[in-house]
């Protein structure tokens, strides 16, 4: 069902974005891979090409840079302009401080990446989908978009914004064949906590201690399921937890 299609994945250098690139390529999808770490984009792309014989193009960019996003997408070679699937995955948490002790630079990075970056990519890609009369947009939200936990403040606010933007886009596109979905995971072990704790690998490991977290591949499978439904089926939102997690805050850990 994805054979010969083109998907643009933001944040394809790691975690959920990278796993989604592999899951799509396995089904024959061509990939536009974006992220800031150029070398990793090429590594992922070359491995995909070798294993699955599909094609890729690497677009090194920072989603916070509106001009860069527009220039990269508008400057795609003709073949690559017909994007069928946009996965708005690039995102991050920085810190876990109380608001009154928070780092304003961290807040700006989360707001600029998780909200504005998602909007820039959407604004650049969706007009082409509307013109072609086909397309899927999958936004990666979070359980943090449905609940708030201690120290989650600004990150949770950005993911609540993703939830609102997903719903808003779905309303705005209701008179088109384009489908808009979100996937909202609980705890997935990726580089997410290493980034949140600014390179403190030990602290990041502790987040997933005593239970089996989700993997990036678990989420990629769900994204693949969403974009391979028949055209009349639009999955609005999927919340996914590890079995040992019951809500944003409740996780059962072995002693
Ligand atoms: P990773 O840290 O492993 O991956 C994050 C990806 O986002 C990387 O490819 C990174 O690429 C990219 N990214 C970050 N900032 C930017 C930027 N400014 N411009 C372009 N790309 C950027 O984490 P995950 O895979 O876990 O995170 C993916 C998404 O899933 C995020 O939106 C996150 O909020 C969400 N999520 C994660 C959960 C988890 O528990 N892990 C749970 C729920 C949601 P690079 O650094 O190369 O730019
Ligand atoms: C990432 C999951 O619970 O750390 O969005 O916020 S959580």
């Amino acid at each position: 069902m994805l054979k010969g299609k083109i998907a643009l994945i933001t944040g394809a250098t790691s975690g959920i974005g990278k796993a989604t690139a592999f899951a799509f390529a396995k089904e024959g999808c061509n990939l536009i891979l974006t992220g800031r770490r150029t070398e990793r984009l090429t590594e992922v792309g070359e491995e995909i090409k070798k294993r699955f014989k599909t094609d890729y193009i690497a677009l090194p960019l920072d989603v916070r840079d509106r001009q860069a996003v527009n220039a990269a997408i508008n400057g795609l070679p003709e073949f690559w302009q017909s994007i069928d699937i946009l996965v708005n995955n690039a995102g991050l948490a920085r810190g876990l401080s109380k608001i009154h002790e928070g780092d304003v630079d961290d807040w700006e990075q989360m707001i600029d990446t998780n909200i504005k970056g998602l909007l820039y990519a959407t604004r650049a890609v969706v007009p082409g989908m509307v013109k072609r009369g086909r397309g899927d947009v999958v936004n990666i939200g979070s359980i943090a978009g449905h609940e708030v936990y201690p120290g989650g403040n600004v990150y949770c606010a950005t993911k609540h914004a993703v939830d609102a933007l997903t719903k808003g886009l779905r309303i705005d596109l209701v008179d088109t064949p384009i489908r808009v979905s979100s996937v909202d995971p609980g705890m997935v072990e990726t580089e997410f906590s290493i980034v949140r704790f600014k390179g403190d690998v030990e602290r990041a490991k502790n987040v997933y201690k005593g239970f089996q977290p989700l993997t990036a591949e678990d989420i990629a499978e769900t994204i693949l399921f969403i974009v391979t439904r028949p055209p009349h089926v639009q999955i609005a939102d999927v919340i996914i937890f590890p079995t040992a997690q019951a809500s944003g805050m409740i996780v059962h850990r072995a002693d």
Side-chain angles (χ1 to χ4, degrees):
M1 260 169 135
L2 293 190
K3 200 167 168 46
K5 287 197 172 179
I6 296 173
L8 187 152
I9 301 172
T10 67
T13 57
S14 166
I16 295 168
K18 179 177 170 183
T20 304
F22 278 89
F24 281 14
K26 199 169 171 204
E27 300 302 317
C29 192
N30 298 307
L31 295 162
I32 303 171
L33 306 172
T34 82
R36 291 165 301 177
R37 288 170 286 182
T38 311
E39 236 173 69
R40 284 214 197 176
L41 286 176
T42 315
E43 269 168 34
V44 171
E46 288 303 313
E47 195 179 337
I48 277 172
K49 211 170 173 174
K50 200 163 74 197
R51 277 174 58 186
F52 306 114
K53 316 277 176 243
T54 58
D55 210 355
Y56 84 96
I57 192 162
L59 290 187
L61 59 83
D62 186 327
V63 290
R64 293 172 294 175
D65 182 341
R66 176 153 55 114
Q67 266 77 42
V69 172
N70 287 336
I73 291 171
N74 295 332
L76 281 166
E78 206 182 327
F79 168 80
W80 291 96
Q81 296 221 348
S82 302
I83 298 167
D84 298 290
I85 303 164
L86 168 63
V87 182
N88 273 317
N89 162 78
L92 79 181
R94 298 288 284 170
L96 197 60
S97 307
K98 293 176 190 278
I99 287 202
H100 59 285
E101 295 164 353
D103 180 329
V104 177
D105 288 336
D106 286 347
W107 298 353
E108 289 190 336
Q109 190 174 358
M110 290 186 275
I111 291 167
D112 289 350
T113 309
N114 301 359
I115 305 177
K116 291 164 76 178
L118 176 143
L119 279 169
Y120 297 156
T122 303
R123 184 66 182 85
V125 172
V126 172
M129 290 180 168
V130 172
K131 224 179 271 165
R132 290 185 292 279
R134 62 168 201 276
D136 280 297
V137 179
V138 183
N139 290 336
I140 309 305
S142 169
I143 187 56
H146 298 270
E147 299 177 27
V148 180
Y149 51 83
N153 45 64
V154 176
Y155 177 70
C156 295
T158 66
K159 290 299 182 177
H160 276 69
V162 171
D163 185 50
L165 293 171
T166 304
K167 289 170 176 157
L169 185 64
R170 192 158 51 237
I171 291 167
D172 293 344
L173 293 172
V174 72
D175 58 351
T176 76
I178 297 157
R179 303 183 294 190
V180 182
S181 310
S182 69
V183 177
D184 296 343
M187 297 167 96
V188 190
E189 190 165 11
T190 59
E191 293 178 11
F192 177 84
S193 291
I194 300 173
V195 171
R196 165 170 258 170
F197 299 128
K198 303 177 181 177
D200 186 340
V201 175
E202 276 316 301
R203 191 171 173 201
K205 264 194 206 146
N206 281 334
V207 173
Y208 310 105
K209 216 169 175 176
F211 74 104
Q212 187 175 344
L214 294 167
T215 64
E217 288 71 25
D218 295 325
I219 309 305
E221 265 180 28
T222 306
I223 299 168
L224 179 63
F225 176 81
I226 288 172
V227 300
T228 52
R229 291 312 84 208
H232 68 289
V233 179
Q234 176 175 228
I235 307 285
D237 189 10
V238 181
I239 297 178
I240 317 173
F241 285 134
T243 306
Q245 183 175 12
S247 75
M249 286 289 294
I250 300 173
V251 179
H252 176 72
R253 296 173 198 266
D255 296 329

